[in-house]
Amino acid sequence: MDSSKVLDFFKEITKIPRESGHEELMASYLIDFALNHGLEHKKDKAGNVLIIKEAAPGKENVPSIALQCHQDMVCEKSEACGHDFSKDPIHYEIKDGWMVAPETTLGADDGIGIAACLAILDSDLPAGRIECLFTVSEETGMDGAFALEEGFFTSKTLINLDSEDEGQLFVGCAGGVTTQISFDLIRETAAPGSRALDFRLYGTLGGHSGDDIDKGRINTVQQMARFIKILSGKMDVRLVGIDGGGKHNAIARECRARVAISPELIASAKEEFGKFCDALRAEYHRTEPVLMQDCNEAVLDVQPLEHSLADRLISALVAVHHGVLAMSQDIEGLVETSSNLASVHMNGSTIDICTSQRSSVDSAREYVADKVEACFRLAGAKVSRNDPYPGWKPDMNSHILERTRSAYRRLFGTEPLVKAIHAGLECGLFLEKFKDLDMISFGPTLRGVHAPGERLDLASNEKFVKLLADVVTNFG
């Protein structure tokens, strides 16, 4: 089995709509694959799919092994992109050794894991029994892993194919929770003659709220709130609306705000926005290569927010923690605890804010969620927590870890890094349901996941496939 087969399967997968919560076509593709290959398969009520390949001749006594990935993908695109994730195939390019989607997410997270499973199932590798588990809605709450019923798969060893750094073997991950905030939307009449002025921040890197939270990237929602607070302190402007960010597990990379302003202050407000953006570029000059801005006049067709509400909203968005809160005291360089200010949206009668918190320590995860909740409750908002999921505690004596590590040394002549990851993997949930499960996670190098421009390093994919095939073939 070589990486070209995996890449061929992945190219087919890029044609299949599979946004979280809408994996029906992906599940149908998997079941059709199983039927066409004469493989045992099943699907549960949640939409999780299991495909089984029985042991090759002479391998009947080898313990079975599970390969696991998720069916769904994060669907993000640049604002000017007309891509429809419900029907359009992903447009990708092969450039300078990378497979990249220029204006959307590529879906290699975790489409490349799906492709690797299919290539294994389609191969003639002399391996023991293999169970390939394809879960649903991992990106929006790990719904498939939560719903997984006892006995759906039987292997005592599992390889998760949802990691993003070749040469690194992951044996632990963070747990997480989503904290949702809601303000009641109240408006009042603007001063006579007021005009609307629209501000926009965009073009930033964004990225994964776990893997990239320590990269020092701009959060456009928080920075737009910061600007509105600065501007309000210098002149009489009234907030009409603020809207930015997307998925709960992505760093906000675009944000708009509209204010009501008297015509004679417009030039000064534009100048203040330019100064602010210049200062922001200076603050992030090493970590954000591009920050773009727009400022345009418009007709005031919606009245501004009630003054106290606007002040409380903007103050809370500025004050709430975004970024790393603590580094691990056990594993050097590992982010232990963080929070992501993901989005703010005006939705009819409410202003809705989404945040997510992660930690490899359960008590610390609750603490940072408490901090976020306290900040917004002090501002008069309603707060709730949803979709908590556990972390995965490292087991350095793991049998599959030693097998994989020795295979990596033999294949590539170097020692892989053994790490934990500050992102949510389904492994923590599997361990709650299957107490004796021995697990590891590895994959090829991906960059820019959860943001437009997501890319797959093709050279790393070759090594990933070679390692996976070797571990599966020689497992026992």
Side-chain angles (χ1 to χ4, degrees):
M1 189 182 85
D2 61 30
S3 61
S4 63
K5 176 181 280 191
V6 174
L7 205 59
D8 286 343
F9 276 118
F10 180 54
K11 289 175 180 177
E12 288 299 310
I13 291 166
T14 63
K15 302 174 185 177
I16 303 171
R18 52 191 179 94
E19 186 169 10
S20 303
H22 301 280
E23 300 98 336
E24 299 85 1
L25 293 177
M26 188 69 243
S28 294
Y29 176 86
L30 293 171
I31 291 170
D32 286 345
F33 173 92
L35 290 170
N36 292 334
H37 288 74
L39 298 173
E40 181 184 348
H41 64 280
K42 58 183 175 178
K43 179 182 175 184
D44 66 12
K45 295 177 183 178
N48 299 313
V49 174
L50 187 77
I51 303 177
I52 300 169
K53 183 176 184 178
E54 295 298 340
K59 293 280 189 172
E60 293 84 357
N61 294 325
V62 173
S64 69
I65 189 168
L67 308 181
Q68 185 269 323
C69 53
H70 60 84
Q71 299 179 42
D72 59 318
M73 65 174 284
V74 169
C75 295
E76 286 283 295
K77 62 183 180 180
S78 60
E79 190 169 11
C81 178
H83 185 88
D84 185 344
F85 283 103
S86 69
K87 62 179 182 180
D88 296 339
I90 301 295
H91 168 67
Y92 62 83
E93 300 173 357
I94 306 295
K95 186 177 181 181
D96 299 327
W98 294 82
M99 183 178 184
V100 59
E103 294 187 285
T104 69
T105 39
L106 176 64
D109 174 16
D110 188 22
I112 201 67
I114 301 173
C117 285
L118 297 180
I120 291 281
L121 293 169
D122 189 49
S123 73
D124 56 359
L125 290 174
R129 185 174 183 270
I130 298 169
E131 297 180 302
C132 288
L133 173 62
F134 307 89
T135 54
V136 296
S137 298
E138 186 269 352
E139 299 288 6
T140 54
M142 302 193 182
D143 298 353
F146 270 109
L148 203 65
E149 295 183 357
E150 185 177 354
F152 191 69
F153 70 92
T154 60
S155 299
K156 300 298 184 183
T157 301
L158 182 144
I159 300 177
N160 170 276
L161 305 175
D162 191 21
S163 295
E164 299 158 8
D165 292 280
E166 193 284 318
Q168 299 181 16
L169 309 179
F170 293 96
V171 294
C173 71
V177 66
T178 300
T179 302
Q180 302 278 4
I181 299 98
S182 179
F183 289 87
D184 291 330
L185 202 162
I186 306 169
R187 297 191 182 275
E188 59 187 23
T189 305
S194 294
R195 295 278 293 172
L197 192 57
D198 292 338
F199 303 102
R200 180 184 173 214
L201 292 173
Y202 64 107
T204 60
L205 291 171
H208 192 290
S209 64
D211 285 348
D212 297 322
I213 200 71
D214 62 340
K215 303 295 193 299
R217 296 178 180 175
I218 291 174
N219 181 307
T220 54
V221 168
Q222 190 155 62
Q223 294 303 331
M224 182 63 82
R226 174 187 173 189
F227 168 69
I228 296 299
K229 189 167 185 64
I230 291 171
L231 187 66
S232 299
K234 293 185 175 183
M235 61 187 71
D236 185 14
V237 296
R238 304 286 301 283
L239 181 66
V240 176
I242 180 169
D243 194 278
K247 301 295 189 294
H248 77 284
N249 50 9
I251 299 169
R253 52 188 173 75
E254 295 187 5
C255 190
R256 296 175 179 270
R258 171 171 284 193
V259 299
I261 187 171
S262 62
E264 61 269 20
L265 293 177
I266 288 176
S268 296
K270 288 182 176 180
E271 183 179 355
E272 289 296 331
F273 189 52
K275 290 178 181 178
F276 174 79
C277 291
D278 287 343
L280 206 55
R281 291 186 187 94
E283 291 176 16
Y284 289 86
H285 68 282
R286 288 189 180 274
T287 56
E288 282 284 2
V290 178
L291 167 65
M292 301 178 73
Q293 70 199 69
D294 286 334
C295 183
N296 298 297
E297 299 176 45
V299 175
L300 185 63
D301 54 359
V302 177
Q303 294 301 313
L305 303 184
E306 186 269 329
H307 182 75
S308 172
L309 169 62
D311 182 60
R312 288 183 283 115
L313 169 65
I314 292 300
S315 294
L317 289 174
V318 171
V320 72
H321 184 84
H322 169 80
V324 176
L325 184 70
M327 300 297 291
S328 172
Q329 297 190 23
D330 298 315
I331 302 175
E332 186 176 354
L334 173 67
V335 177
E336 177 201 272
T337 307
S338 72
S339 184
N340 177 48
L341 174 56
S343 65
V344 57
H345 297 298
M346 319 289 284
N347 293 313
S349 62
T350 60
I351 305 165
D352 297 325
I353 298 162
C354 179
T355 73
S356 63
Q357 291 74 49
R358 301 177 189 267
S359 184
S360 49
V361 178
D362 288 347
S363 60
R365 182 191 67 210
E366 291 303 303
Y367 171 54
V368 69
D370 285 342
K371 286 173 70 71
V372 171
E373 179 173 343
C375 178
F376 283 105
R377 286 199 183 279
L378 285 170
K382 301 170 186 175
V383 182
S384 62
R385 298 185 198 178
N386 306 298
D387 305 321
Y389 58 89
W392 166 28
K393 186 177 180 180
D395 176 10
M396 300 309 292
N397 296 315
S398 159
H399 176 68
I400 188 61
L401 168 60
E402 182 50 41
R403 286 281 179 153
T404 308
R405 184 158 50 183
S406 62
Y408 196 94
R409 284 194 299 259
R410 174 167 42 79
L411 291 171
F412 308 122
T414 186
E415 186 74 23
L417 295 175
V418 178
K419 301 179 67 175
I421 187 172
H422 189 65
L425 297 174
E426 292 154 295
C427 298
L429 283 168
F430 296 149
L431 201 56
E432 279 196 338
K433 295 171 180 286
F434 306 91
K435 302 296 184 184
D436 299 325
L437 200 58
D438 187 19
M439 296 181 291
I440 195 168
S441 178
F442 60 87
T445 297
L446 307 179
R447 291 294 178 262
V449 297
H450 297 186
E454 178 189 347
R455 60 197 189 276
L456 162 68
D457 181 351
L458 298 179
S460 75
N461 189 55
E462 291 184 11
K463 295 179 73 175
F464 159 63
V465 173
K466 192 172 184 179
L467 177 63
L468 179 62
D470 188 53
V471 172
V472 168
T473 301
N474 296 300
F475 180 72

